[in-house]
Amino acid sequence: LQRMKPVTVVSSGAGDTGSDRPGDKVPTRFPQVVLFLLERKMGASRRAFLSQLGRKKGFQVEEVFSERVTHVICENNCSDEVRTWLHSQVGGRTSAQPLDISWFTESMRAGRPVEILDRHKVQEQQIDEAEVVAFSVPSYACLRRTTLDNHNPVLTDALSLLAENAELSDEDGRGVAFRRAAAVLKALPEPVTGVTQLRGLPCLGGHSLRVIRDILENGASSEVEFTKQSERFKALKVLTDIFGVGAKTAERWIRDGIHSLHQLQESGQTLNRAQQAGLEHYDDLKQPVTKAEADAIGEIVEEAVVSVLPGAQITLIGGFRRGKLTGHDVDFLITHPEEVLSLQGFLLYQKTTRNSYLEAKDGPARPASNMDRFERCFSIFKLADAEKRGTKQTENTPEDTCRLAAHSRWRAVRVDLVVSPISQFAFALLGWTGSKLFERELRRWAGHEKAMSLSSHALYDNKQGRYLKATSEEEIFTYLGLEYIPPSERNA
Ligand code: UTP
Ligand code: MN
């Protein structure tokens, strides 16, 4: 910009279309300076306001881009973007200079076009920031489609570990916050490369952002590394990995100086039946369950159920229904027109809980039979080796073969059996497919946005004061005003 002497010229023509009122003309003081404000990113209303301000200060501010324009004012645009835009205008016949909004505001303050310094030029360096995909994600996980194709596993593993640590430390609020943050990253279509990309994303609190920044900038988060190494976290993990041991019990044992399985065995602590079984089958239960094993158990369960209960339906639920290839257990939903289920001979351990919901007076279903009172059975299942059970299993890896040879004959697998009367089937199916966060978010959506209460038994409309019947998951999504999300996209 050449130093310019203010000249008073009464502006006319296209240049003053933005003038407030006819006759309210401010004389143009800088005839060699013709400004144009780029609306992209700045927004129409801010552009209109700034244009007005410029004219009041005696600048020529054009409404429409033309060859006359000498300065293009941009906000948050990168130079490439502006260059491309300029090229698309007036056939590229322009020598207008792209300038950052800071030049404009400083000039307004000075009441004259200030000298153009480097910092006023549209920064090349902004390319990084502006070119990155600005992600946009709805805040409820049940509004998002989250497949198993996670593009940010390092970040989500770190946040999940902090979530787990919080949950094991009786800090559920913090646990949920980390789970939500991890779930948002799982829904992103690409790997995150810089924190600037995360601007405007929901559920990312200061703490989660700090962890993400550490990993992006230093390759690791000191908090995550510290937690992983901490004796307390390691002990909590080992102990709660025992079937039947929750955070409270583990905490008590740790206070008694028990940090390992060996110390637990030596300690003479009384273990309940579940914990005894859990300890006995510890190594087996730590091994992930494969889809092939899940299918084999499914066949046995189905055969057993159908033999005593013709017409019963068995559905694979939990992670396997969402398309996971391995799991920590196998979950089945059994729905039945009538009663009695016997899997005697297959269950190494089992505990059933009642369907307390049926006791509710105004519930959607009366207990049709004794079977309805049995809602859930946590069990440890005795699964024969593939050769023994004679199923056509896919080939074992050398590692599997080695393990099977050493172990031989059978392995223990955690199996959860959920039973629901047919009237609650759709709710049970939706409620037990997961993921846990997806379920939590569905209930939060129902309660906060729809004044409804959703459980794995029913959907209650608080405004209408009645239960809403459904025979499919799709119907439940419709009641909730949600687009249907298939199980494979519920991996939040
Ligand atoms: P799981 O804990 O088995 O999770 O619970 P998962 O998604 O199948 O994962 P892995 O592969 O086994 O590790 C299955 C679903 O059952 C419901 C949740 O919706 C969960 O996603 N569930 C589980 C409950 O509602 N309550 C419980 O106490 C446990
Ligand atoms: Mn499961």
Side-chain angles (χ1 to χ4, degrees):
L1 186 75
Q2 307 110 316
R3 201 162 292 131
M4 269 172 294
K5 238 168 100 203
V7 182
T8 301
V9 181
V10 175
S11 70
S12 61
D16 7 87
T17 48
S19 209
D20 271 329
R21 292 168 289 265
D24 184 26
K25 297 228 158 73
V26 177
T28 293
R29 298 170 58 208
F30 319 103
Q32 293 98 320
V33 180
V34 182
L35 307 184
F36 175 84
L37 278 65
L38 196 60
E39 182 174 316
R40 254 198 100 197
K41 304 238 168 110
M42 183 182 289
S45 59
R46 180 162 162 79
R47 175 176 186 259
F49 167 79
L50 294 174
S51 300
Q52 199 62 36
L53 181 71
R55 290 185 193 113
K56 285 212 176 101
K57 299 266 181 187
F59 286 78
Q60 299 182 72
V61 186
E62 299 274 305
E63 208 53 50
V64 181
F65 189 82
S66 72
E67 287 172 53
R68 293 186 57 224
V69 172
T70 57
H71 301 68
V72 176
I73 311 299
C74 332
E75 191 161 42
N76 300 325
N77 298 92
C78 68
S79 58
D80 259 8
E81 204 172 16
V82 179
R83 231 176 282 131
T84 310
W85 186 87
L86 284 176
H87 243 267
S88 72
Q89 304 294 310
V90 296
R93 291 184 309 276
T94 174
S95 53
Q97 181 167 21
L99 289 175
D100 185 68
I101 186 79
S102 58
W103 177 83
F104 180 85
T105 49
E106 285 170 38
S107 299
M108 291 303 116
R109 218 174 298 135
R112 60 173 174 83
V114 296
E115 190 183 346
I116 296 171
L117 304 174
D118 267 354
R119 62 185 167 84
H120 295 134
K121 294 179 181 154
V122 175
Q123 302 290 307
E124 289 294 338
Q125 159 216 333
Q126 275 183 325
I127 291 170
D128 288 349
E129 206 171 297
E131 246 187 8
V132 291
V133 201
F135 300 118
S136 149
V137 162
S139 73
Y140 283 93
C142 54
L143 296 174
R144 311 193 287 252
R145 295 174 182 271
T146 315
T147 63
L148 289 167
D149 195 12
N150 178 1
H151 299 279
N152 291 282
V154 175
L155 297 176
T156 58
D157 284 354
L159 293 168
S160 301
L161 183 129
L162 294 180
E164 192 178 9
N165 185 49
E167 287 156 2
L168 289 173
S169 308
D170 202 23
E171 295 174 3
D172 287 345
R174 262 157 54 90
V176 173
F178 286 130
R179 296 265 177 225
R180 286 219 181 101
V184 163
L185 299 186
K186 282 184 196 173
L188 299 182
E190 282 171 39
V192 175
T193 51
V195 273
T196 51
Q197 288 172 298
L198 304 176
R199 257 186 234 144
L201 283 185
C203 310
L204 297 178
H207 197 157
S208 295
L209 279 175
R210 224 177 312 134
V211 173
I212 296 168
R213 182 189 297 274
D214 274 357
I215 296 173
L216 292 178
E217 288 174 6
N218 314 321
S221 146
S222 51
E223 183 179 3
V224 172
E225 295 313 307
F226 175 84
T227 305
K228 259 192 221 166
Q229 303 301 323
S230 95
E231 288 306 316
R232 198 187 119 76
F233 179 70
K234 283 195 280 189
L236 278 169
K237 280 281 285 175
V238 169
L239 298 176
T240 55
D241 268 352
I242 305 170
F243 177 75
V245 178
K248 292 250 155 58
T249 306
E251 187 74 51
R252 203 178 65 237
W253 288 345
I254 291 172
R255 275 205 302 272
D256 289 347
I258 300 166
H259 286 75
S260 67
L261 296 187
H262 181 72
Q263 286 169 335
L264 177 64
Q265 274 155 333
E266 299 294 290
S267 71
Q269 288 276 351
T270 6
L271 303 180
N272 65 27
R273 231 161 42 84
Q275 294 159 353
Q276 284 168 27
L279 206 50
E280 184 178 341
H281 303 292
Y282 188 87
D283 290 334
D284 265 6
L285 299 188
K286 241 181 39 185
Q287 292 285 331
V289 188
T290 64
K291 178 67 164 61
E293 288 171 326
D295 289 338
I297 293 171
E299 279 176 32
I300 298 165
V301 171
E302 174 142 30
E303 202 177 312
V305 171
V306 170
S307 74
V308 291
L309 231 165
Q313 261 189 52
I314 289 87
T315 312
L316 191 59
I317 47 172
F320 286 116
R321 181 161 184 250
R322 302 196 308 275
K324 282 179 65 178
L325 297 175
T326 60
H328 92 288
D329 68 356
V330 193
D331 310 281
F332 293 104
L333 175 60
I334 300 168
T335 191
H336 55 92
E338 287 171 48
E339 56 186 298
V340 187
L341 172 69
S342 170
L343 279 167
Q344 265 146 31
F346 283 110
L347 303 186
L348 296 163
Y349 165 87
Q350 62 104 9
K351 183 184 189 311
T352 58
T353 55
R354 273 181 328 152
N355 186 345
S356 56
Y357 199 79
L358 295 156
E359 316 299 331
K361 271 209 197 82
D362 50 354
R366 285 295 103 64
S369 68
N370 267 341
M371 188 58 186
D372 288 340
R373 298 188 179 279
F374 152 42
E375 178 187 30
R376 191 173 178 193
C377 172
F378 306 91
S379 72
I380 300 177
F381 196 94
K382 182 172 179 174
L383 177 65
D385 288 352
E387 320 87 76
K388 295 268 181 206
R389 54 178 197 262
T391 54
K392 5 150 209 355
Q393 208 178 353
T394 50
E395 270 174 48
N396 289 314
T397 63
E399 240 181 310
D400 287 343
T401 311
C402 187
R403 208 187 76 78
L404 288 169
H407 196 108
S408 98
R409 292 181 21 246
W410 60 270
R411 72 162 285 192
V413 178
R414 287 187 54 164
V415 174
D416 262 15
L417 303 174
V418 178
V419 180
S420 95
I422 197 93
S423 61
Q424 299 178 13
F425 178 76
F427 298 100
L429 185 61
L430 179 58
W432 291 91
T433 294
S435 69
K436 282 192 185 108
L437 188 82
F438 190 89
E439 302 294 342
R440 172 185 273 279
E441 295 279 280
L442 264 182
R443 293 194 300 270
R444 187 164 71 98
W445 169 267
H448 289 198
E449 308 294 332
K450 296 283 148 182
M452 293 181 185
S453 323
L454 176 69
S455 73
S456 50
H457 301 287
L459 179 64
Y460 185 79
D461 185 326
N462 299 320
K463 282 187 280 193
Q464 296 184 48
R466 67 181 184 97
Y467 286 95
L468 304 173
K469 288 196 168 59
T471 56
S472 69
E473 288 183 320
E474 282 87 342
E475 274 177 81
I476 305 172
F477 278 89
T478 303
Y479 280 136
L480 292 171
L482 293 170
E483 215 175 288
Y484 177 71
I485 310 277
S488 62
E489 293 175 341
R490 296 181 204 161
N491 286 291

